[in-house]
Amino acid sequence: MYPLKIFGSLFFLILTFCACQKEAIQDNSFIFGFFAGECNTNCSTIYKIENNKLYPDQENYFPYDREINFSKTPLSIEKYNIAFELEKNFPEFLHKNSKSTYGCPDCVDQGAIYLQKNNGNQNRKWFVDPFEIPHEINDYFDLLKKSLPELIK
């Protein structure tokens, strides 16, 4: 009976330790891009910056019901540098505001701008109508509109 208690206690400690290790892994990434619901091919152009590398999405359509799949192969350092400017200049306005949707993204087939910031256990997503951008973040979206074509090349 005594060895069984020791074995049970050790098993419980190992399970607790493994659970703590999984919680320690935190996602620090910046995801951004554009998607459209009504199109024929490649309706989603999304990128992810993680660990100082830039990854393109592997989606043809924006996945509303699951996580976005990204390539495991990073893009060039030149493209990373373009994307890094977007992360570096991310508008504080979005962080301070509790809204996650601006305008009516993709309601009339105009597409939508998608942003996501993952900082540890704090994850935020924003959907922005490209025709109803708040004036507080116009400059940022001008930079985004300029940067996306450079990344697609």
Side-chain angles (χ1 to χ4, degrees):
M1 183 85 155
Y2 186 73
L4 187 58
K5 286 182 180 179
I6 292 175
F7 179 77
S9 297
L10 284 174
F11 182 74
F12 178 76
L13 286 173
I14 290 171
L15 280 178
T16 303
F17 178 76
C18 290
C20 290
Q21 289 294 339
K22 288 180 184 174
E23 288 179 22
I25 297 171
Q26 296 182 351
D27 182 16
N28 291 307
S29 61
F30 173 56
I31 300 171
F32 64 95
F34 182 84
F35 70 89
E38 296 293 325
C39 69
N40 292 326
T41 59
N42 199 16
C43 302
S44 173
T45 303
I46 310 287
Y47 296 92
K48 177 180 185 177
I49 293 179
E50 185 174 52
N51 298 323
N52 299 320
K53 291 184 169 64
L54 178 66
Y55 300 91
D57 72 328
Q58 293 186 315
E59 306 288 349
N60 285 322
Y61 300 96
F62 187 81
Y64 286 99
D65 58 344
R66 62 177 171 74
E67 293 294 315
I68 301 168
N69 290 315
F70 290 94
S71 171
K72 297 198 184 323
T73 305
L75 296 173
S76 69
I77 188 69
E78 293 81 14
K79 290 190 178 191
Y80 167 79
N81 288 336
I82 293 167
F84 179 71
E85 289 300 312
L86 294 169
E87 182 177 28
K88 183 173 79 172
N89 293 299
F90 192 84
E92 193 61 32
F93 172 84
L94 292 175
H95 284 294
K96 290 180 179 178
N97 200 316
S98 63
K99 287 178 70 172
S100 61
T101 302
Y102 292 89
C104 192
D106 205 31
C107 290
V108 292
D109 300 335
Q110 79 276 31
I113 297 165
Y114 178 74
L115 301 166
Q116 179 176 338
K117 289 203 82 168
N118 302 315
N119 294 315
N121 294 328
Q122 294 182 340
N123 301 326
R124 295 244 355 238
K125 298 176 183 180
W126 295 271
F127 296 87
V128 182
D129 181 333
F131 299 127
E132 294 186 38
I133 297 169
H135 70 277
E136 295 91 346
I137 53 178
N138 262 338
D139 290 343
Y140 182 76
F141 281 91
D142 287 345
L143 177 62
L144 182 65
K145 289 176 196 174
K146 178 184 149 208
S147 301
L148 282 175
E150 293 296 315
L151 296 173
I152 293 169
K153 288 182 184 178

